Every structure is written in structure tokens, then in C-alpha cells.
Amino acid sequence: MFSVMCLVVMAMVGVDEKAAVPKVEPPEGKPMLKFEKSRIGTATYEACAVFDVNNDGILDIVSGEYWFEGPDFTKAHKICSVQQVEDYYDDFSDYPMDVNGDGYLDIITGGWWGETLRWRENPKGQPVEWVVHDIEKTGSVERGCFWDIDGDGQVEAIPNCPGKPYVAFKLECDAKGKGTGKFRKIVLSETPQGHGLGFGDINGNGRNDLISAGGWLEAPKNPLTDKWEWHPEFNFGGASVPILVYDVNGDGVNDIIVGQGHDYGLAWWEQKIEGGNRTWIKHDIDTARSQYHDMQLVDIDNDGQLELVTGKRYRAHQEHDPGSLDPLGIYYFKINKGVFERHTIDYGPAGKASGAGIYMWIVDIDGNGWKDIVAPGKDGLFLFKNMGPA
């Protein structure tokens, strides 16, 4: 069944290749890094993760129904079956966490159609299917997000569920700090979520706030018990997941970087405070590419500065989004205090180039000291090995 479904998706890719597309575009800046690209199996899920599944000291790749054994990622192991709706799979995050405290990393996931946050129990690396546990019926999950809300060193799960309240799920641990397999639900705010979610200190008080498409929630002193205050200061529309908080221009005040997950556009919003009032000024980064759904800030070129790594999500709403059939691409942007410079890692028609999916993973997978990119999506699961300076 799996191979048949993959052939269907690959056939769809073939249709998109017929669209008129330009040749591979050059980067705006000088090529600085060399990447070696390879496809991992025939997986077409939109989320992935990289972690040591079987505790053999070697990183593996997880995506949807399978995990791929490192270091060459050619051997696939079935995790479980995942609900499929047309060419979507109900797997919008694959976040590793030792939920039951047995020393093996499990997976936290959720999806749009299942409307449920779940965890998949790692069978201690054995070649058998994983048991799936429901955490909570949350509503449609645009993507799972994972941040340390209360600053205790333990990450909470915060699903982006448009129209639903902001809810965090905290893993309950025993006296030794090991997971018990149970989660505590904390309603942070009854304010309805938008499409998009971010986490960072907006007002400079040392507390990390939550950012959504229509405003931001100010974190209280006690984030899990006190009231979060809503500030409806902007409207980002169908925003990326995540929305990034970063001091773009180096003025000591955090700004916001946001993509359009279902339209054209990538921009940063400059935060200005005058006379005690906060305003936001939009600066376009890229208006020519669509479906910037996932993005990360990471030092991809080892220069000690963070770069913006992002790309197009392929067929985010199938052919219903503006620019859906445009060429795919993965890029990193030098930020340069607000003068963003694009560098192209991959670009071209579907079937030949890769996008960034819903949840890509960036880590030094081969131990050469340079961070690599694992990019999932309906176009396939690709590994871009960062080989350093071109």
C-alpha cells in the first residue's frame, strides 16, 4: 500500500514538472556553502526529526510512518500507520521526547484531520510497530510547537490550532525527573489562535511571550498559573509556523520575522517604541516566492551569526494557494541587520528540487562540524549535507 501511495504522489509531481519554470536561479549573494543532496527513501510526509531512535549512538531520521537508520539512512523501519487524506498525512510534527522515562526517545505528533495531539511509544529501538497514545483532542493541528514555557528546562507541547485556545501540555515527571507517560493540560489563554505561532520576548522583560497572527500574548510572572495579556497589535494573515522573534537590526529591541504560509511573502516587522507606545513597521524580505510555512534561525555557515533558513512548502493547500505550482526552493538568508541576502540551496520544479515542508530539521547529522538540513514534504524527504565553504 505504501509503495502504491508513493507512486500516486510521484505521478502528481510529474504533473507539476510540466509547468513553465525558470532555470535554477543563482543566489543573490556569493555562493558560500556546498550542499550534497540525497533523497531518503520514498517518504512524502511533511514533518521529520533527527535523533537516535535505537540508542546505538548514531543519529537516525524519523518522518511520518517510518524511521531511517543512520548513518546511511537506507534501511527503513515501520513506526505505525498514519491517516491519509488525499496526498496529506496526518503527521504535522515528529518531536522527540522521552515521554515514559524508559531512556528511549518517543515522538509527539498531531495533525489537521485527526484533531488530536498524540505520542508514539518507542519500543526501545526494536523492529516492531510503535504503540500510539492519545494525549488530548485539541482541534485541527496546523503544527505542533515545542517550547519551555515556564523556564524549568523542560519543553512543553503547544499545538497551533487556529480558532482554539492557547494550550500547553506539560509532561508529568516522577521524583527522579523521568517522564511518566502522562501530560498535564494548561490553558494559557481563551483568546482564539490564528494561523501561525511563535515564542520570544517581545517587551524585553526577560519573559518569553507567545506570538500569533493577530497579536501577542504577554507572559506573566508565573506562566502556568497567571493570566496572559493579549495585545492585538498586528495582522499577519496565514502566518508561518513558527513566527520568529529576533533583534533583526541590532537596536536592542526584538523584532518579528514571518512568512506567508499560504500566499506570497516573507517579511520582518520592526518594533519601535516611542513615547511608551509600540508600533510595527513592515520590511519585505521576499515578495516573489510563496508558501513560506516553516523557518528557523540557525548558524548555518559557522560565522557566529544566525541565518534565516526557510523554503517553500509544496502543495500546502494542493493547488489552491497563490503560487502553489511555482518552483520549489530552500534558502538561507544572511540577515545583515535587516538587509537580507538570499543564498539558494536548492531550486527548481517539483520532482527535481525540494521545499521545506511543515517541519524541517537542522542538525550536524554527519559530525563534520557543519549543520545539515533534513527537508520533508509532499515532494519527498531530502537530506542536504552541509560540506562547508564552496
Side-chain angles (χ1 to χ4, degrees):
M1 176 64 73
F2 175 72
S3 59
V4 172
M5 288 188 290
C6 287
L7 288 172
V8 171
V9 174
M10 292 172 73
M12 293 178 182
V13 169
V15 172
D16 290 336
E17 282 189 83
K18 296 178 182 179
V21 296
K23 295 181 179 179
V24 174
E25 61 177 12
E28 289 182 345
K30 179 182 177 182
M32 297 169 62
L33 299 174
K34 177 183 178 181
F35 288 86
E36 290 185 358
K37 174 184 176 182
S38 59
R39 179 162 183 169
I40 308 300
T42 55
T44 56
Y45 312 100
E46 295 191 77
C48 71
V50 176
F51 61 95
D52 185 359
V53 172
N54 56 357
N55 285 3
D56 65 352
I58 299 172
L59 290 175
D60 309 298
I61 294 175
V62 169
S63 187
E65 295 182 336
Y66 293 87
W67 69 275
F68 301 87
E69 192 170 341
D72 56 12
F73 313 111
T74 57
K75 187 175 182 180
H77 302 271
K78 182 74 177 286
I79 295 173
C80 64
S81 296
V82 176
Q83 179 186 2
Q84 185 185 14
V85 178
E86 297 177 335
D87 59 348
Y88 296 90
Y89 287 91
D90 206 46
D91 181 69
F92 285 17
S93 66
D94 291 315
Y95 192 83
M97 181 184 293
D98 185 1
V99 175
N100 58 0
D102 66 353
Y104 286 80
L105 290 170
D106 310 296
I107 298 168
I108 301 181
T109 186
W112 189 261
W113 293 272
E115 301 183 354
T116 304
L117 193 68
R118 299 183 169 100
W119 70 280
R120 298 173 182 151
E121 184 177 354
N122 187 339
K124 297 184 178 179
Q126 299 302 307
V128 296
E129 291 198 22
W130 301 29
V131 177
V132 180
H133 304 267
D134 289 353
I135 299 172
E136 177 85 10
K137 191 85 170 178
T138 58
S140 296
V141 178
E142 182 66 28
R143 199 189 92 162
C145 297
F146 303 89
W147 298 300
D148 183 1
I149 290 288
D150 57 354
D152 68 348
Q154 176 184 307
V155 169
E156 284 76 50
I158 307 98
N160 181 206
C161 302
K164 300 295 184 179
Y166 294 82
V167 177
F169 293 90
K170 187 173 186 64
L171 178 63
E172 295 183 356
C173 296
D174 61 19
K176 295 181 180 180
K178 294 184 178 182
T180 62
K182 298 179 180 180
F183 288 83
R184 177 162 60 99
K185 176 182 176 181
I186 302 106
V187 178
L188 303 174
S189 174
E190 295 287 352
T191 303
Q193 294 188 51
H195 184 298
L197 193 61
F199 184 64
D201 186 1
I202 292 292
N203 56 1
N205 66 355
R207 302 172 193 156
N208 286 319
D209 310 298
L210 285 170
I211 300 87
S212 189
W216 61 284
L217 279 169
E218 182 178 348
K221 183 177 180 180
N222 300 301
L224 300 185
T225 57
D226 297 347
K227 181 180 178 181
W228 293 62
E229 184 179 355
W230 175 244
H231 300 274
E233 296 179 355
F234 38 70
N235 185 357
F236 297 144
S240 54
V241 194
I243 298 167
L244 300 176
V245 179
Y246 183 67
D247 183 5
V248 171
N249 55 4
D251 65 354
V253 178
N254 277 336
D255 309 297
I256 290 174
I257 304 173
V258 60
Q260 290 302 305
H262 299 282
D263 206 338
Y264 287 95
L266 174 65
W268 71 279
W269 291 73
E270 181 181 4
Q271 181 179 179
K272 303 287 286 186
I273 300 176
E274 298 176 353
N277 296 318
R278 180 181 292 103
T279 58
W280 299 90
I281 302 172
K282 181 183 179 183
H283 302 270
D284 286 324
I285 301 170
D286 182 8
T287 59
R289 293 160 190 80
S290 75
Q291 295 166 102
Y292 280 114
H293 206 284
D294 185 21
M295 56 185 61
Q296 294 186 33
L297 289 170
V298 63
D299 184 4
I300 199 75
D301 60 4
N302 285 357
D303 68 347
Q305 303 293 321
L306 295 178
E307 284 78 44
L308 172 65
V309 181
T310 184
K312 176 186 175 72
R313 179 186 172 195
Y314 178 51
R315 289 169 57 84
H317 282 163
Q318 298 176 319
E319 278 76 59
H320 303 297
D321 287 338
S324 182
L325 298 181
D326 289 354
L328 308 185
I330 294 182
Y331 316 97
Y332 72 93
F333 291 81
K334 300 293 293 181
I335 295 176
N336 299 326
K337 293 189 176 181
V339 183
F340 283 75
E341 180 184 87
R342 189 186 75 250
H343 296 264
T344 301
I345 297 171
D346 199 25
Y347 182 83
K352 294 182 179 179
S354 174
I358 288 178
Y359 205 137
M360 62 182 167
W361 207 268
I362 303 177
V363 68
D364 182 6
I365 202 168
D366 56 3
N368 71 346
W370 298 84
K371 290 183 174 64
D372 312 297
I373 302 171
V374 183
K378 297 186 184 80
D379 53 311
L381 177 66
F382 291 89
L383 169 61
F384 293 86
K385 283 192 176 182
N386 186 347
M387 308 309 293

